[in-house]
Amino acid sequence: MRGVLEQLPLMSGKIVDDTRHEKVLSYLRLFLERQDAVTQLLGWNVIGIVEQCLDAASDFRVSSVAIRFLGDVLNAHDGAVLWAELGNSSILSWISKAGDSPHALVRVSTLYFLRQASLKHYDQQFAKLLESTDYSRLLLRRLQDSSYFVVSEACLLLAQLSSIAQVDDKLDGLVSRIAQWQPDKINDKRKISALAVISTLVLEGNERASEFALQVFKVEQLEPYLFESDTIVRDKALDLLELTLYRISKDALDKVLRLLSNRLEYDGSGGKNIAIVLRCLAAAVKQLPGNDKLNKEQCQRELCEQLANMAMRIIMRIYPDAQTPATSNDIPTMSIIEPIETHILAHLSGKCSVGELRQLASEAARIIREHCRLYSSSSMTSAINGLLGNSQVQQHTQLLHLLLDAAERQLRASLDARPAYWQQTLSELIGNFAIHASRLKQLFNVVLEMPQGISPSLEQAVRARLADVEWEARDTALEFIAQAACHLADMQAQMVVTKAVADDVVGLLKDREEYVRASAASALAALLKSSHLDALHGWLASHQNLQSPAITCLLEDSEAIVRRASLDFVQALMSVESSKEWLSSLNHRLLYALADDPDFEVRVRCAQLLTRLTFYSLHCVDVERRAIDELQSDALLLDMCRDSSRYVRQACLQGLKVLTKEIVPVGDRMDEGEQGASKRVQRDGSQTSGLHLLSEKLRNVDFTRLEESLSAEHLYEEALDTQVERELMKESHEPNNGNNILDCY
């Protein structure tokens, strides 16, 4: 650590890869987790080192790393000691001038330092520093910066300073000035800055700052931003609308809805404007239920339901062939919503492109999804299921995903209310082949988190997905089976994982996709480990497709991911007392190949298997022991202690500790002539000799050295012995091809 810190000012400016500097910063930050970090850094003259980094001749990237690190040190334990020492240095003077640096990285680092310092150290020294920067004008310049990173950091600093009583009054004028910027007279960057300032104050500022921001920036001022042509400006405005709706009043909400309606009426109900209006309504449905002001008036639920029904009618107009029930047509539409729906349906009656129709259907589905997050309705669920069964909807991926999200939220919200209905709905959704892997996983998660959704029909749905033509769906179904075996209770696990399902899983060990083969092996390992599925253990162990040739074939698979899962499966199979096929599937050549596998995770599992084999040999009968002795598992395990991967060495160390605890005490008793005292097993002469030999090998293992080799810090310290920390700061004759020892982290 000290070597890297002291070499930081000398870091070469010829280094092309900027991530090298960020890796150095990450490493320095790790040191701050220590309680005595500040004391150590002061002892190493950290202030003098940072001053060297801020020298005019230094690379600006080095200056950035140094000043950000110093800002983090100020918030570490005993950071106040360092803050007091900074008054006698040139660092604060540099900070006061660096806010207008030509380098964006330096500008953002300067703002970051000021924000970090303000968190804990607002005192006379900090107030003087702020005054020297002319902070209100500095913030105004940086909020209009060409770099979005600088703007973002300036917003955070503004929010932090606005929360400090001594300076917030001075910033109110700045916030008011920004809030009054006219959208038609400023460029897109300034629009983004204005929205970012208000959003950050609402999210990050204290209550006073948040309320003041919403007071000077009225909700109706968002309208021109919401309908901007620039996507970034529009998205920022939508984000701010969501924040505003969370605390909006009834009158202000009515004003927003009228503004949206007027936009459709006077500016034309083009598809683009309709899509934006629907997105705004989705934001309203999302945020209004949490609005305390509207909760008191009991109006938000009715509004959300009306908007959801309107959205469903829009989708049904776009996809008239979908078999969906009518949605609340008998309920009068609220007068404030009716004009919006009228304009949208009138537009849909005209000529619209397929792309436009799909976009509007997706935006309407967002409203339904947000409604289903809190409110459940069987009629809405029936309508969603009808849409999911429509072939045109199934070809529209985004709409399909949004409707699935809505269906999932309905299931979570109301599964307890009508279990039989929702169980059948869940099974039907899982068995729907139009639902692809990512959304299928969501439905399986519902089953795992809410096991009351399990019904007899679920088994058939799972088996259907195991035979899906899409390999990702097969893989997802296998992952679900593994999780069901581990997490579900006895009866529930047995309803999902039947013999028929387990037989399908065994068949997938020969799937053409390597990920499916690996997941099948992992699923079988989970089944064998599950105490809820004891009845399957013996049946699986004697399965005709799980005999020794099949197991050997899995362990020799060409894909590393399959070999990893296969080793887990073999270890699980060893726990089944009636199974001995795993032993005949292993041989020394195979184990040697696994111990030398190019994939370190395979080698980790191999070390674990070798430990279990050696341990098993101490407790098995003579015939099995001789077979295991031929495998030479103990010699291979000891040899793997020299593996290049510290994760493999860690697995070896753990295994050797277990064996030492088991074997060495027995060896001691034998040395004392107390061989008969062992109650573990009856050993013959050859076993006694083998046990002595293994015990002697274990005594010769340098456990301390092996344990030290597992520490990343130890690896770095070894590198320091050869002065590699100096190479870290240099660039070789080949550009961007430096020696980065920090890659070990």
Side-chain angles (χ1 to χ4, degrees), residues 263-265 267-274 343-344 346-347 356:
R263 171 68 70 159
L264 294 181
E265 181 177 358
D267 288 358
S269 53
K272 177 183 174 182
N273 282 348
I274 292 176
H343 289 305
I344 295 174
H347 177 76
E356 183 181 340

Side-chain angles (χ1 to χ4, degrees), residues 511-524:
D511 195 274
R512 63 181 180 275
E513 288 290 338
E514 62 269 21
Y515 293 105
V516 177
R517 297 197 299 274
S519 293
S522 296
L524 290 174

Side-chain angles (χ1 to χ4, degrees), residues 418-690:
R418 295 175 59 193
Y421 171 78
W422 292 108
Q423 286 172 355
Q424 184 62 32
T425 300
L426 182 57
S427 297
E428 289 175 0
L429 289 172
I430 290 174
N432 187 337
F433 288 104
I435 298 175
H436 299 293
S438 60
R439 302 299 164 172
L440 180 62
K441 188 171 185 177
Q442 288 180 258
L443 296 174
F444 281 139
N445 286 338
V446 174
V447 177
L448 295 171
E449 296 168 20
M450 307 182 72
Q452 61 269 36
I454 295 175
S455 64
S457 59
L458 182 61
E459 177 202 358
Q460 294 303 318
V462 172
R463 293 193 67 193
R465 300 320 292 262
L466 287 174
D468 200 304
V469 295
E470 183 189 23
W471 73 263
E472 291 96 335
R474 300 197 299 275
D475 186 63
T476 301
L478 288 166
E479 290 177 353
F480 164 70
I481 291 170
Q483 292 174 321
C486 297
H487 301 301
L488 295 180
D490 292 3
M491 293 299 296
Q492 295 161 341
Q494 292 167 16
M495 288 177 67
V496 175
V497 189
T498 61
K499 282 188 177 181
V501 170
D503 191 57
D504 291 343
V505 174
V506 173
L508 289 173
L509 290 173
K510 298 181 180 179
D511 195 274
R512 63 181 180 275
E513 288 290 338
E514 62 269 21
Y515 293 105
V516 177
R517 297 197 299 274
S519 293
S522 296
L524 290 174
L527 298 187
L528 292 172
K529 293 176 183 177
S530 174
S531 59
H532 308 314
L533 301 170
D534 293 340
L536 285 177
H537 293 177
W539 179 79
L540 281 173
S542 59
H543 197 287
Q544 61 179 356
N545 291 331
L546 291 178
Q547 302 305 304
S548 57
I551 298 174
T552 303
C553 184
L554 283 172
L555 293 171
E556 293 177 336
D557 196 279
S558 60
E559 299 296 331
I561 189 173
V562 181
R563 297 196 295 275
R564 294 177 208 159
S566 302
L567 284 165
D568 291 336
F569 169 60
V570 170
Q571 292 190 66
L573 202 57
M574 290 176 67
S575 303
V576 181
E577 294 184 3
S578 60
S579 171
K580 295 295 180 286
E581 286 297 323
W582 60 268
L583 183 55
S584 55
S585 68
L586 300 175
N587 57 70
H588 178 72
R589 179 196 59 79
L590 176 59
L591 289 177
Y592 184 86
L594 292 170
D596 196 39
D597 196 278
D599 184 84
F600 83 91
E601 292 189 55
V602 172
R603 302 199 302 275
V604 167
R605 288 164 172 79
C606 179
Q608 294 167 347
L609 176 62
L610 293 173
T611 300
R612 292 197 64 169
L613 287 170
T614 306
F615 187 86
Y616 186 82
S617 68
L618 304 176
H619 302 268
C620 61
V621 297
D622 293 346
V623 176
E624 294 176 348
R625 186 170 62 253
R626 283 193 290 272
I628 294 177
D629 287 345
E630 292 177 359
L631 299 177
Q632 301 179 33
S633 58
D634 53 345
L636 281 174
L637 181 62
L638 290 168
D639 188 58
M640 290 185 74
C641 291
R642 298 192 295 270
D643 195 276
S644 59
S645 168
R646 62 190 176 100
Y647 299 104
V648 177
R649 297 197 299 274
Q650 184 176 37
C652 294
L653 175 64
Q654 293 170 346
L656 291 175
K657 284 183 176 180
V658 171
L659 293 174
T660 301
K661 186 176 180 181
E662 180 75 9
I663 295 174
V664 172
V666 176
D668 291 341
R669 289 196 295 271
M670 290 182 175
D671 289 340
E672 297 167 5
E674 298 179 0
Q675 295 90 335
S678 175
K679 297 182 181 179
R680 292 184 177 84
V681 290
Q682 295 295 325
R683 298 179 173 82
D684 58 16
S686 62
Q687 182 181 11
T688 301
S689 175

